[in-house]
Amino acid sequence: MYNKLTVEDVEVKGKRVLVRCDFNVPLDAEGNITDENRIVGAMPTIEYLVNNGAKVILCSHMGKPKGEPVPSLSLAPVAERLSEKLGKKVVFAADDNVVGENAKAAVAAMNDGDVVLLQNTRYRKEETKNVDEFSQELASLADLFVNDAFGTAHRAHCSNVGVTKYVQPAVAGYLIGKEIDYLGNAVNSPVRPLVAVLGGSKVSSKISVIENLLKKVDKLIIGGGMAYTFFAAQGKTTGTSLLEPDYIDYAKKMLDAAGDKIVLPVDTVITEKFDNDAPAKVVEGDIPDGWMGLDIGPKSIELFKGVLADAKTVVWNGPMGVFEMPNFAKGTNEIAQLLADIDATTIIGGGDSVAAVNQAGLGDKMSHISTGGGASMEFLEGKELPGVVALTDK
Ligand code: AMP
């Protein structure tokens, strides 16, 4: 689907390279970075550029300053952490207007291999509106643009889309390159059988994902709270389980159209209260009045494992039950464990399933964990991502 230039396809030596990173890291009340995963994720592209003699100008948003300078959302702590990680000084250009006197002077003074970090791009109100003026200012600093921020790839902002109008080539960094490779290939040219596992709370929020994936997959496993709307479509009772009555007809149509492609749970762990310690039991088929399903049952786990055992590519989005409660995490954990064990390309597509896989300590056993919740959903929906589309074709 996408065939974009990457950092390795272009000459970077001596060039001023503007890199859009995702440094949207959480900070505590004292401004300390509490989770540096996103900084770690950005390192391969930054190190490649430094080692190959580029003048590296980094930019990113952090939080939602809503177009104004908000000191608590300054990227200054990121510059410090980056300096430690790179073992060399990262100059922080502390301009409230992002491309100001500090940034211009810092860039003018750069030698090959130097690194400058600009201030939070969302200090400028133009950023999220993709206004040309700010895009031009950003572009004026650079000879070449690299986008490595997958988390914002589904948005068209100045620092990832607008800027590409004024600085070319615009190429993919390693993080975005990996997302395109895995999510793109998995969905569009997979090694088969391709099995998708969908879960989470709502059918309504995943309709486009279901429709797009049904066209591409060999099997679609549906678990979690969204399964009960499909139960209702099959004429089963669902007790007090999550249910979206307005989507029962839709679920019926999907089941009719998909035939045996859709695989639903055959048993359910149920309780009378939404509470980890509530007494639970397993039922097959109908869920009785006053009871709610909070996890898939043991027979469903076996059924799903059987389907997944032959898979060569698996895409997973959404937990199989209320995995935040340990007593209802079994279905989710067992699927995570199976994906860790099977000989297949396993792709975890954003949000709660990433949390579930990490909670089970299996993150490093998956082929790819997508870093962009919203962006990976839109990828799975078959939508084009503006931040990727804007990059230069090979
Ligand atoms: P989503 O954001 O749509 O992927 O949904 C994730 C949420 O779905 C998690 O917080 C789960 O606790 C929740 N969930 C999964 N299964 C169930 C269920 N059977 N009943 C209620 N909530 C569920």
Side-chain angles (χ1 to χ4, degrees):
M1 180 159 76
Y2 293 115
N3 197 14
K4 299 295 185 182
L5 289 179
T6 75
V7 272
E8 292 186 8
D9 297 323
V10 287
E11 178 59 68
V12 300
K13 177 143 182 53
K15 299 261 174 70
R16 298 170 304 158
V17 182
L18 178 68
V19 191
R20 176 49 158 109
C21 298
D22 181 0
F23 292 142
N24 184 26
V25 291
L27 302 173
D28 66 15
E30 279 83 51
N32 300 306
I33 296 167
T34 54
D35 177 351
E36 65 170 22
N37 270 328
R38 287 185 166 150
I39 297 178
V40 173
M43 293 308 286
T45 297
I46 300 171
E47 280 171 342
Y48 174 85
L49 290 169
V50 168
N51 294 339
N52 284 280
K55 300 181 172 82
V56 187
I57 306 154
L58 306 173
C59 69
S60 172
H61 80 285
M62 183 195 277
K64 292 185 175 157
K66 305 220 168 98
E68 290 173 11
V70 174
S72 60
L73 294 173
S74 165
L75 284 175
V78 174
E80 250 177 67
R81 186 63 64 92
L82 276 170
S83 301
E84 286 160 25
K85 293 216 152 306
L86 281 168
K88 67 184 292 168
K89 172 103 186 123
V90 171
V91 175
F92 181 56
D95 290 316
D96 283 349
N97 59 345
V98 187
V99 185
E101 292 317 310
N102 289 315
K104 288 177 194 161
V107 170
M110 287 176 101
N111 291 313
D112 293 355
D114 282 354
V115 184
V116 167
L117 173 63
L118 306 182
Q119 184 53 284
N120 189 341
T121 51
R122 288 195 193 162
Y123 275 17
R124 290 284 294 264
K125 60 181 180 318
E126 298 97 323
E127 162 73 332
T128 54
K129 301 191 181 80
N130 199 13
V131 175
D132 277 346
E133 191 190 352
F134 182 42
S135 303
Q136 268 168 317
E137 288 175 37
L138 285 167
S140 72
L141 298 175
D143 308 308
L144 170 70
F145 175 70
V146 177
N147 190 0
D148 213 21
F150 186 68
T152 49
H154 58 314
R155 306 270 180 246
H157 293 168
C158 294
S159 66
N160 68 335
V161 172
V163 68
T164 64
K165 266 167 62 180
Y166 303 103
V167 55
Q168 287 280 342
V171 307
Y174 289 109
L175 266 184
I176 282 210
K178 191 168 176 245
E179 297 278 3
I180 299 173
D181 275 356
Y182 276 97
L183 287 169
N185 287 340
V187 178
N188 296 304
S189 49
V191 181
R192 292 187 183 275
L194 165 64
V195 180
V197 183
L198 286 184
S201 52
K202 288 184 179 157
V203 177
S204 55
S205 64
K206 290 186 185 165
I207 282 190
S208 312
V209 178
I210 298 172
E211 283 179 1
N212 184 45
L213 288 180
L214 268 179
K215 286 184 250 157
K216 324 240 174 183
V217 299
D218 297 292
K219 291 280 181 193
L220 176 62
I221 292 173
I222 295 182
M226 62 192 274
Y228 309 122
T229 301
F230 285 88
F231 278 20
Q234 292 176 316
K236 292 187 183 124
T237 60
T238 57
T240 51
S241 306
L242 266 187
L243 182 71
E244 290 180 283
D246 291 348
Y247 288 89
I248 295 173
D249 276 347
Y250 168 83
K252 253 188 213 144
K253 280 196 199 110
M254 284 293 115
L255 288 173
D256 287 344
D260 65 357
K261 232 186 211 187
I262 293 183
V263 184
L264 289 167
V266 289
D267 59 351
T268 309
V269 181
I270 58 171
T271 65
E272 287 177 296
K273 258 184 25 195
F274 190 79
D275 180 348
N276 184 52
D277 301 318
K281 61 182 185 182
V282 175
V283 287
E284 287 180 33
D286 287 335
I287 297 174
D289 263 6
W291 292 74
M292 67 183 81
L294 294 183
D295 196 6
I296 56 174
K299 288 194 175 157
S300 306
I301 294 175
E302 287 316 306
L303 173 70
F304 292 177
K305 280 186 174 174
V307 173
L308 287 164
D310 300 328
K312 282 286 162 241
T313 309
V314 183
V315 181
W316 183 16
N317 180 292
M320 296 291 97
V322 186
F323 75 104
E324 298 93 336
M325 297 189 203
N327 289 341
F328 306 106
K330 188 163 194 275
T332 302
N333 287 343
E334 295 245 354
I335 297 298
Q337 186 62 57
L338 183 79
L339 296 196
D341 294 340
I342 58 177
D343 180 20
T345 301
T346 49
I347 298 154
I348 315 302
D352 272 317
S353 14
V354 176
V357 164
N358 287 332
Q359 181 179 298
L362 298 169
D364 60 350
K365 298 277 188 341
M366 305 299 163
S367 311
H368 180 64
I369 296 190
S370 179
T371 51
S376 64
M377 281 291 281
E378 295 201 10
F379 218 132
L380 298 180
E381 288 171 2
K383 287 190 187 150
E384 294 209 308
L385 301 180
V388 179
V389 172
L391 300 177
T392 310
D393 286 322
K394 269 196 179 158

